[in-house]
């Protein structure tokens, strides 16, 4: 029978404690019912033992209750690892278990009192929460009493003794098993609590005293001892300006605070892919790289990770957020602050670089935004190299035996964001307003508005060593050299790969879908019935196929999605005797464009194919592939799309999907547009999704070909193409500011250079006849009115320079 000495305590514990987070689920543990189960605790603790007895009985797992009976030869159901610092005077339970020679499965169990997030927070819960300090009896009693309702339990994968034995001596086998279990417990503890948090002053002092920082000080001091001392003090100020001051009590406080905020702000948080992080946490250094759409991003991701039993990361935040009240709280929650530019500040740059290196080398997880700032247009911005370059440099400074470093791409999708008004104002040319506590109070006044749901999707992690093995096989020769010659190109490829993995993790929500459908109409108004059919088409094109992870679709019907967007104030629904109408005014359309741009890349190939049938009813299959293939890599780059392994195979699959939807009809060796009016309109709407991106590329190429090779430099062509796009936008009603976004034209030029369409000689852009020929073939895709406007503008430019005797070709040449 079970040990009756602790029965009253066990009953009290069973009535009092509540497990808020436990993993894995009992059915996922994979226990062999034919083998005896022995649970292993990292240290002897009566509270943990009694708790485990309660949990195993409740969940139908093999019992952890210690049973006492004469002649009982069964292995003990529970044991604790011996303290390796103490000399054992008698054989341990683990040694007895090994000497019995019976095969058993060892299940490691980690219990955290007060670490699991809960709704309550205050002085006593903060004091009693788990951390890296050893827990005495009095403090454990306090933890049970105060945090018994906020409990977290982690069960590890079973470890079979027979797989470890291999004819070993029992003493050696005991040491091996104990070592494996201690490694597991340490990794779980690091995953939940993070690496041990050093005192902030000690960390800053170590940064300032590092050889790298000292070398920079010596170089700037130039032998002047007084100046050297001033620079040393300045380095200390920089360290205090930068460094986080993360603490477990602050994390607990923020968890309670943010839990209340999300409950008021959102209808719910949908989380997908977190298992990918849990598989790496504890033995990989993790660098989270989410898309940056809102100030909410870093708070939301930290909250979600904490809720899932993972240590929140240290977060790189702009210095503009280090404001009174807010800055100190963010700093204690893990934020470290950086200036927007390091240019002309070599000592600051060195201090920041050394601080980042020390965080990574100690195994702390990081979070930063590779876009550099929030996306005002809603699309993923081109990655910036700064933080990625410093992370790569830190990785190369570590010895080859260092722990692996993995990037974790994260897509965050909103149905409404708090910054809608400010983004629209800034895209229209308004100045960015400075963050301040008063501005935060203004945001609090909008918390009662509806904001729908928010999605957090974890993409496919990227192991840095594996990435370098693929793209720079000789990288190990550069260990210890933070700035190898190939670093810039590797950072560029790394940023692009991460951006594509972020976008690959995107999923659709009702607002995205409604925006994709409604904004594909010429006047942002459509019959409700047609919009519902278009939303059903968009959903069907992204419905997961068998064996494909796909993109989960939002629940409900197209009509439900329209009603949801209407409830969020993003459109108007107008009943009409001849058929209800859905419309968006200028303000609503500007907001919807932001949400459309979040997921536009998901329909790039389908939109490209539909656009090809806009002015031509029929295309041969091979002719269509030849027409679309040259521009596809440029489209991939601008929209950060993961390239298909085989473009023609992906094209065939898309054509088949559109035929299945009734929009195209296969005809011999080609395809033709369906003749029905409704189907033709749906195909046109699908093609309009990608139209602005294609037209922007056509504008840039037309501007380039309108002059002789070598006429433009990079900045000159980007500026001219942007002015051309802005002019056409005003003349044709394309009032979306992102149509003439300067950064998009810079990205287009980079794509043309990478694909070999452009070469740079003496800072001038040169092109070959192949580009002119490709432009001539693709011009049939575009509206004749657009081509005519471009030719008229080019003709006026030629006439204005006629006296100089220069020759310029027209886009139609």
């Amino acid at each position: 029978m079970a040990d009756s000495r602790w029965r009253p305590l066990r009953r009290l514990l069973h009535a009092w404690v509540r497990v808020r987070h436990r993993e894995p689920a009992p059915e996922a543990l994979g226990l062999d019912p034919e083998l005896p189960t022995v649970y292993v605790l990292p240290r002897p603790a009566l509270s943990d033992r009694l708790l485990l007895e309660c949990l195993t009985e409740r969940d139908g797992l093999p019992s952890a209750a210690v049973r006492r009976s004469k002649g009982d030869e069964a292995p003990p159901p529970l044991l604790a690892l011996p303290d390796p610092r103490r000399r054992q005077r008698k054989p341990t339970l683990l040694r007895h278990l090994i000497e019995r020679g019976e095969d058993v499965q060892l299940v490691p169990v980690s219990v955290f009192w007060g670490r699991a997030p809960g709704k309550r927070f205050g002085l006593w819960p903060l004091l009693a929460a788990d951390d890296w300090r050893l827990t005495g009896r009095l403090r454990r009693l306090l933890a049970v009493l105060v945090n018994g309702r906020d409990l977290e339990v982690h069960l590890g994968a079973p470890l079979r003794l027979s797989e470890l034995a291999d004819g070993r001596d029992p003493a050696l086998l005991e040491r091996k098993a104990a070592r494996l279990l201690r490694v597991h417990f340490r990794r779980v503890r690091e995953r939940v609590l993070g690496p041990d948090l050093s005192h902030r002053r000690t960390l800053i002092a170590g940064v300032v005293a590092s050889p790298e920082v000292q070398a920079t000080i010596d170089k700037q001091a130039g032998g002047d001892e007084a100046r050297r001392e001033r620079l040393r003090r300045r380095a200390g100020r920089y360290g205090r300006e930068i460094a986080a001051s993360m603490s477990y009590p602050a994390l607990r406080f923020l968890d309670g605070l943010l839990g209340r905020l999300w409950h008021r702000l959102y209808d719910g948080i949908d989380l997908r892919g977190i298992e990918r992080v849990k598989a790496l946490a504890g033995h990989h250094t993790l660098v989270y790289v989410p898309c940056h759409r809102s100030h909410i991003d870093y708070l939301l991701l930290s909250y979600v990770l904490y809720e899932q039993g993972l240590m929140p990361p240290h977060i790189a935040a702009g210095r503009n957020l280090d404001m009174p009240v807010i800055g100190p709280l963010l700093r204690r929650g893990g934020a470290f602050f950086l200036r927007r530019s390091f240019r002309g500040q070599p000592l600051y740059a060195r201090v920041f670089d050394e601080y980042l290196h020390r965080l990574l080398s100690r195994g702390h997880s990081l979070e930063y935004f590779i876009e550099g700032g929030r996306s005002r247009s809603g699309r993923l911005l081109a990655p910036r190299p700064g933080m990625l370059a410093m992370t790569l440099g830190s990785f190369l400074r570590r010895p080859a035996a260092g722990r692996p470093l993995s990037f974790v791409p994260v897509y965050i999708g909103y149905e409404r964001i708090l910054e809608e008004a400010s983004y629209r104002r800034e895209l229209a040319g308004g100045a960015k307003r400075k963050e301040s506590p008063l501005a935060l109070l203004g945001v609090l006044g909008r918390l009662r508005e509806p904001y729908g749901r928010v999605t957090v999707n974890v993409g496919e992690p990227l192991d840095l060593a594996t990435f370098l093995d693929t793209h720079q096989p000789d990288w190990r020769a550069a260990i210890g050299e933070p700035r190898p010659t190939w670093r810039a190109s590797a950072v560029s490829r790394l940023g692009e790969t991460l951006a594509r993995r972020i976008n690959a993790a995107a999923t659709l929500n009702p607002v995205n879908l409604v925006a994709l459908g409604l904004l594909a109409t010429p006047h942002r108004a459509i019959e409700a019935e047609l919009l519902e059919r278009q939303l059903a088409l968009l959903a069907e094109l992204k419905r997961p196929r068998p064996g494909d992870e796909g993109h989960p679709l939002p629940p409900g019907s197209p009509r439900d999605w329209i009603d949801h967007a209407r409830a969020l104030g993003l459109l108007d629904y107008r009943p009409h005797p001849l058929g209800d109408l859905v419309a968006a005014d200028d303000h609503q359309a500007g907001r919807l464009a932001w949400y459309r741009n979040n997921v536009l890349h998901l329909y790039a190939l389908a939109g490209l194919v539909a656009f090809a049938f806009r002015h031509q009813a029929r295309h041969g299959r091979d002719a269509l592939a030849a027409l679309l293939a040259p521009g596809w890599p440029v489209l991939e780059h601008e929209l950060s799309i993961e390239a298909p392994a085989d473009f023609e195979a992906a094209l065939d699959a898309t054509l088949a999907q559109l035929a299945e939807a009734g929009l195209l009809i296969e005809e011999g060796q080609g395809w033709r547009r369906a003749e029905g009016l409704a189907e033709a309109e749906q195909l046109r709407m699908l093609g309009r999704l990608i139209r602005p991106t294609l037209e922007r590329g056509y504008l840039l190429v037309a501007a380039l070909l309108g002059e002789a090779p070598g006429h433009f430099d990079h900045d000159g062509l980007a500026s001219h193409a942007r002015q051309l796009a802005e002019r056409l936008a005003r003349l044709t009603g394309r009032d979306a500011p992102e149509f003439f976004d300067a950064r998009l034209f810079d990205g287009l030029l980079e794509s043309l250079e990478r694909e070999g369409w452009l070469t740079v000689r003496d800072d001038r852009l040169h092109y070959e006849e192949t580009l002119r020929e490709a432009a001539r073939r693709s011009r049939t895709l575009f509206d004749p009115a657009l081509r005519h406007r471009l030719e008229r503008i080019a003709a006026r430019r030629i006439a204005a320079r006629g006296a100089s005797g220069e020759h310029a070709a027209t886009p139609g040449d």
Side-chain angles (χ1 to χ4, degrees):
M1 60 179 295
D3 192 344
S4 60
R5 293 177 299 169
W6 309 113
R7 188 174 299 165
L9 279 178
R10 186 165 50 245
R11 288 177 177 173
L12 285 172
L13 202 66
H14 180 75
W16 172 243
V17 302
R18 179 181 300 166
V19 179
R20 292 193 176 274
H21 183 79
R22 195 198 64 188
E23 59 180 66
E27 60 273 12
L29 196 55
L31 292 176
D32 187 341
E34 303 298 325
L35 290 178
T37 299
V38 177
Y39 300 96
V40 184
L41 295 170
R43 56 185 178 272
L46 179 62
S47 56
D48 291 355
R49 195 185 89 189
L50 297 179
L51 170 72
L52 191 55
E53 292 180 9
C54 297
L55 291 181
T56 53
E57 290 178 6
R58 187 194 69 184
D59 295 334
L61 291 169
S63 176
V66 178
R67 303 183 178 275
R68 293 173 172 270
S69 60
K70 292 182 178 180
D72 187 3
E73 294 296 329
L78 184 104
L79 60 86
L81 286 182
D83 189 340
R85 297 170 300 178
R86 296 181 179 179
R87 186 175 180 181
Q88 304 297 323
R89 297 185 177 180
K90 57 181 181 179
T92 63
L93 284 175
L94 181 59
R95 179 69 172 273
H96 278 303
L97 196 62
I98 292 170
E99 289 177 343
R100 289 165 58 95
E102 184 178 353
D103 191 14
V104 300
Q105 50 192 346
L106 304 175
V107 179
V109 182
S110 303
V111 181
F112 297 91
W113 295 86
R115 163 58 179 82
K119 295 182 179 179
R120 300 181 302 115
F121 60 93
L123 176 62
W124 290 112
L126 297 182
L127 291 177
D130 262 332
D131 58 20
W132 277 94
R133 293 174 294 178
L134 294 176
T135 303
R137 289 186 176 90
L138 182 59
R139 192 163 183 267
R140 175 51 61 94
L141 176 61
L142 180 64
V144 172
L145 293 175
V146 175
N147 293 323
R149 316 294 284 180
D150 301 319
L151 197 63
E152 183 168 331
V153 179
H154 293 255
L155 282 75
L159 180 67
R160 291 183 57 172
L161 280 182
S162 61
E163 295 175 352
L164 302 176
D166 194 24
R168 296 176 182 268
D169 177 76
L172 293 176
L173 182 56
E174 179 190 12
R175 287 198 292 272
K176 180 180 179 181
R179 183 173 64 254
L180 291 173
L181 290 166
R182 287 193 184 96
V183 168
H184 167 82
F185 287 128
R186 186 180 70 251
R187 287 179 174 174
V188 171
R189 201 162 185 82
E190 278 197 12
R191 193 179 87 176
V192 175
L193 299 178
D196 197 3
L197 297 176
S198 299
H199 197 284
R200 184 168 180 262
R201 283 196 304 248
T202 305
L203 179 58
I204 294 171
V207 168
V208 174
S210 68
E212 290 76 13
V213 172
Q214 289 298 310
T216 303
I217 290 174
D218 291 341
K219 182 178 179 180
Q220 289 193 279
D224 186 337
E225 192 59 34
R227 177 169 171 75
R228 188 183 187 284
E229 181 60 25
R230 288 197 302 272
L231 289 170
R232 191 194 64 78
R233 290 197 299 268
R234 185 182 300 172
R237 290 197 302 272
Y238 288 157
R240 291 188 291 274
E241 174 188 317
I242 294 166
S245 185
M246 183 181 278
S247 69
Y248 299 114
L251 292 175
R252 180 65 182 252
F253 172 79
L254 285 170
D255 169 65
L257 183 67
L258 293 175
R260 286 174 167 84
L261 175 63
W262 305 145
H263 181 73
R264 177 176 294 273
L265 193 61
Y266 300 119
D267 296 333
I269 300 173
D270 299 319
L271 176 64
R272 301 185 182 96
I274 193 64
E275 298 79 14
R276 291 169 165 166
V277 179
K278 292 180 177 180
L280 299 176
H283 52 94
H284 279 234
T285 298
L286 300 180
V287 178
Y288 298 93
V289 283
C291 59
H292 199 12
R293 305 280 161 80
S294 169
H295 274 315
I296 296 296
D297 296 339
Y298 37 83
L299 299 175
L300 181 64
L301 182 56
S302 291
Y303 173 80
V304 165
L305 293 173
Y306 192 85
E307 282 279 329
Q308 291 295 315
L310 296 163
M311 184 65 177
H314 283 68
I315 307 166
R319 192 184 175 192
N320 57 312
L321 294 178
D322 191 13
M323 63 186 85
V325 182
I326 305 302
L329 184 59
L330 292 178
R331 199 183 289 274
R332 285 169 175 77
F336 60 96
F337 297 97
L338 70 157
R339 300 177 180 181
R340 288 297 179 190
S341 174
F342 296 179
R343 189 171 299 165
Q345 305 174 80
L347 181 57
Y348 178 87
R350 178 59 67 189
V351 170
F352 187 90
D353 187 68
E354 183 64 24
Y355 175 74
L356 189 75
H357 172 67
R358 293 196 172 222
L359 289 181
L360 290 169
S361 60
R362 294 182 182 191
H364 290 286
S365 58
L366 295 185
E367 175 190 340
Y368 52 74
F369 303 100
I370 59 175
E371 299 166 87
R374 290 170 293 156
S375 173
R376 270 62 175 179
S377 65
R379 67 171 67 222
L380 193 71
L381 302 177
R384 293 189 174 180
M387 293 294 292
L388 289 173
M390 285 186 279
T391 303
L392 178 58
S394 174
F395 181 76
L396 293 176
R397 284 175 59 184
R398 297 163 58 200
R403 62 192 288 166
L405 188 150
S406 292
F407 290 93
V408 181
V410 182
Y411 172 84
I412 303 176
Y414 299 91
E415 292 183 347
R416 264 196 72 190
I417 56 168
L418 289 167
E419 297 98 332
E420 281 179 344
S422 65
Y423 285 179
R424 184 67 179 166
R425 184 185 65 253
E426 291 170 30
L427 279 174
K432 179 180 180 292
R433 293 176 182 173
K434 186 178 180 180
E435 286 81 3
S436 68
L438 290 178
L440 179 63
L441 292 177
V443 171
L444 294 177
R446 300 200 300 270
L447 293 185
R448 294 187 179 277
E449 298 177 18
Y451 287 90
R453 301 182 69 84
V454 61
T455 299
V456 180
N457 292 343
V458 177
E460 182 185 356
L462 176 67
D463 180 82
L464 183 53
T466 303
F467 171 84
L468 291 174
D469 285 338
T470 302
H471 296 281
Q472 194 68 40
D474 62 342
W475 69 272
R476 286 179 175 81
I479 289 177
E481 180 186 349
R483 293 180 181 272
T485 55
W486 46 262
R487 190 178 78 157
S489 60
V491 167
S492 177
R493 287 195 298 268
L494 178 61
E496 291 171 5
T497 303
L498 292 173
R500 290 175 175 179
R501 292 197 182 192
I502 291 171
N503 266 351
T507 51
L508 297 162
N509 62 42
V511 173
N512 297 145
L513 285 163
V514 170
L516 287 165
L518 184 56
L519 296 184
T521 60
H523 304 291
R524 303 186 299 270
I526 187 175
E527 295 90 346
E529 182 183 356
L530 177 56
L531 179 58
E532 289 181 29
R533 287 206 307 269
Q534 189 68 7
L535 297 186
L537 169 66
L538 293 172
E540 186 60 33
L541 289 176
K542 287 300 159 187
R543 190 174 303 282
R545 298 295 191 258
D548 178 23
E549 183 178 339
H551 299 272
L553 296 173
S557 66
R559 180 56 187 267
D560 295 331
W561 303 337
I562 296 172
D563 290 342
H564 185 68
R566 180 187 180 191
L568 294 176
L570 296 172
L571 54 82
D572 295 324
Y573 195 91
R574 301 171 184 174
H576 193 277
L578 300 181
D580 295 347
L581 301 176
V582 179
D585 58 28
D586 290 345
H587 179 63
Q588 291 168 330
R591 296 158 67 191
L592 285 171
W594 193 92
Y595 302 104
R596 175 201 60 194
N597 291 345
N598 290 176
V599 296
L600 187 60
H601 61 280
L602 297 178
Y603 294 93
L605 187 52
L608 180 62
V609 172
F611 191 81
F613 286 89
R614 178 186 172 117
H615 298 296
Q616 287 184 252
R618 291 175 173 80
H619 282 286
R621 188 269 182 198
D622 294 339
L624 182 63
L627 180 66
L628 300 182
W632 177 247
V634 178
L635 203 61
E636 285 177 354
H637 184 266
E638 178 172 334
L639 297 180
S640 297
I641 307 167
E642 195 73 42
D646 185 335
F647 173 74
E648 293 197 5
L651 176 62
D652 290 339
T654 302
L655 288 166
Q657 279 188 296
L658 294 177
E660 187 179 345
L663 306 187
L664 295 179
I665 297 173
E666 189 171 9
E667 191 176 66
Q669 297 300 312
W671 299 81
R672 66 177 174 87
R673 193 170 57 208
E675 296 178 355
L677 292 178
E679 290 78 7
E681 180 61 23
Q682 284 191 274
L683 193 65
R684 279 195 295 271
M685 291 173 65
L686 188 60
R688 288 193 191 110
L689 294 179
I690 211 68
R691 175 183 169 184
T693 301
L694 295 175
E695 288 185 346
R696 188 165 41 244
Y698 183 66
L699 291 178
L700 184 137
V701 172
L704 175 67
L705 296 178
E707 302 289 351
H711 176 83
F712 286 110
D713 62 7
H714 185 289
D715 293 340
L717 177 58
S719 176
H720 175 59
R722 183 184 181 279
Q723 292 171 1
L724 186 61
E726 188 172 7
R727 177 183 177 87
L728 288 172
R730 298 288 183 261
L731 291 173
T732 59
R734 296 174 178 85
D735 59 349
E738 70 268 13
F739 182 68
F740 42 88
D741 187 343
R743 292 181 65 173
L744 295 179
F745 284 103
D746 289 336
L748 278 170
L749 278 172
E750 291 175 8
S751 298
L752 291 173
E753 290 176 31
R754 177 175 307 169
E755 295 301 317
W757 298 106
L758 290 179
T759 56
V760 181
R761 297 196 296 271
D762 299 325
D763 291 331
R764 314 304 289 182
L765 299 175
H766 294 261
Y767 59 87
E768 302 294 336
E769 190 60 28
T770 52
L771 179 61
R772 190 180 298 280
E773 179 60 30
R776 184 179 291 115
R777 288 199 310 269
S778 65
R779 70 193 301 268
T780 57
L781 291 171
F782 297 95
D783 192 336
L786 173 65
R787 303 201 305 265
H788 178 64
R789 286 182 185 277
L790 290 174
E791 289 169 5
R792 288 179 58 192
I793 293 172
R796 279 196 291 268
R797 284 172 55 84
I798 295 170
R801 295 198 316 272
S804 67
E806 295 181 23
H807 170 74
T810 66
D813 281 354

